[in-house]
Amino acid sequence: MRRAQGDAAAGGPSAPETGHDDPDPWTRAWAAAIDDLRACALPAPWQRAQDGIRAYALGCVHEASLRRTASLPPLDHYLPFRYALASGRWMASLVEIAGEFDLPPHEIASPLVQAAQETALTAAFLDNELLSRGKEEARGEYDCGLIPVLLAESGPRTLQEAVDDAVALRDRVMDLHLRLAAAVRADAGPRTRDYVDLLGRASAGITTFSRDTLRYTTPHQRKPPMTSHPTPPRRGPCRSRLPPQIGRWTQLAH
């Protein structure tokens, strides 16, 4: 923020992509943060970060279209949509930059490592949905999360069954991540193994943040308990058909 204020005092442009000054302090602060990130990032992770920002922007456009038409994504398309809207690729690149990883191109681009990224962060994003649901309900917000998507599927399903199925699907994704991470540790180099371990820590951090952030809680809603189990607690199987991404991740985890 200090850097952004300094730019404002100097009269320099805070949003280089627009070519003119932006008086909004949040925009200037974000522009300064991006400048700092660019300065410390290695070229390859920075390129992936830019690609991640573009994917997030497209996810926002998709979500805005759904909101405008009061519609929901189909279950088959839901996990890629959620990964884009939650800026999954951007967060995966931030883990690279924060860890100062310079990973071999053939390892970071391998389907196994990509699947480890996707499952680690998707599990956290589904946690975020489950933990923030009270906020959406209390404020009457538009909700294109997994539970409404499951409720919109053909066939009878109660709200509790949709919640149970969402939790079961989240546990399935986390279980797959643990198996994929183990496969990476068996075959990849030491820095890529460290990267995948840090992805798991990032996933846990997102869930902890989602549970504790004030905007996800209300005076009448208790925080859900956290678990320290090394593997996801076993609940009943998901009653819904599984999205295609689950099958793809499962094949890679073998």
Side-chain angles (χ1 to χ4, degrees), residues 45-105:
W46 174 245
Q47 181 60 57
R48 282 188 280 275
Q50 293 180 82
D51 293 341
I53 292 173
R54 293 187 187 98
Y56 164 68
L58 290 173
C60 289
V61 171
H62 189 177
E63 192 268 349
S65 174
L66 293 171
R67 182 188 297 269
R68 186 174 61 253
T69 58
S71 56
L72 294 167
L75 180 60
D76 282 355
H77 300 163
Y78 178 75
L79 291 180
F81 161 73
R82 189 69 180 94
Y83 194 72
L85 184 61
S87 63
R89 291 177 63 186
W90 161 253
M91 290 191 180
S93 66
L94 287 184
V95 172
E96 269 192 274
I97 294 170
E100 299 182 330
F101 293 107
D102 187 12
L103 303 177

Side-chain angles (χ1 to χ4, degrees), residues 15-244:
E17 70 281 2
T18 65
H20 58 77
D21 289 349
D22 191 321
D24 183 272
W26 287 105
T27 301
R28 301 184 72 90
W30 276 112
I34 292 297
D35 284 344
D36 288 343
L37 189 66
R38 182 189 297 116
C40 69
L42 294 169
W46 174 245
Q47 181 60 57
R48 282 188 280 275
Q50 293 180 82
D51 293 341
I53 292 173
R54 293 187 187 98
Y56 164 68
L58 290 173
C60 289
V61 171
H62 189 177
E63 192 268 349
S65 174
L66 293 171
R67 182 188 297 269
R68 186 174 61 253
T69 58
S71 56
L72 294 167
L75 180 60
D76 282 355
H77 300 163
Y78 178 75
L79 291 180
F81 161 73
R82 189 69 180 94
Y83 194 72
L85 184 61
S87 63
R89 291 177 63 186
W90 161 253
M91 290 191 180
S93 66
L94 287 184
V95 172
E96 269 192 274
I97 294 170
E100 299 182 330
F101 293 107
D102 187 12
L103 303 177
H106 70 280
E107 290 193 2
I108 188 65
S110 75
L112 192 61
V113 172
Q114 294 293 309
Q117 289 177 350
E118 293 168 5
T119 48
L121 295 171
T122 297
F125 299 154
L126 295 179
D127 280 340
N128 179 287
E129 284 189 11
L130 293 165
L131 293 168
S132 71
R133 182 165 173 77
K135 173 180 71 71
E136 279 91 42
E137 289 184 327
R139 299 181 185 180
E141 297 178 7
Y142 168 73
D143 185 1
C144 59
L146 180 57
I147 292 174
V149 167
L150 289 170
L151 287 171
E153 282 218 293
S154 60
R157 180 187 269 113
T158 66
L159 175 58
Q160 186 58 56
E161 286 173 340
V163 171
D164 290 344
D165 286 349
V167 171
L169 185 58
R170 178 266 175 210
D171 287 351
R172 180 75 173 265
V173 173
M174 178 52 75
D175 183 67
L176 282 169
H177 171 70
L178 295 173
R179 292 161 56 192
L180 289 161
V184 171
R185 293 187 195 98
D187 296 331
R191 292 293 284 164
T192 302
R193 293 198 297 267
D194 289 344
Y195 170 64
V196 170
D197 286 343
L198 196 55
L199 280 171
R201 295 173 185 266
S203 178
I206 293 169
T207 297
T208 300
F209 169 82
S210 300
R211 178 180 179 269
D212 293 336
T213 184
L214 291 176
R215 67 191 179 95
Y216 284 1
T217 60
T218 69
H220 307 294
Q221 179 181 335
R222 292 190 304 119
K223 293 180 181 179
M226 296 294 285
T227 177
S228 58
H229 294 302
T231 58
R234 296 297 177 183
R235 299 179 177 90
C238 183
R239 279 173 288 268
S240 174
R241 59 190 173 82
L242 295 174

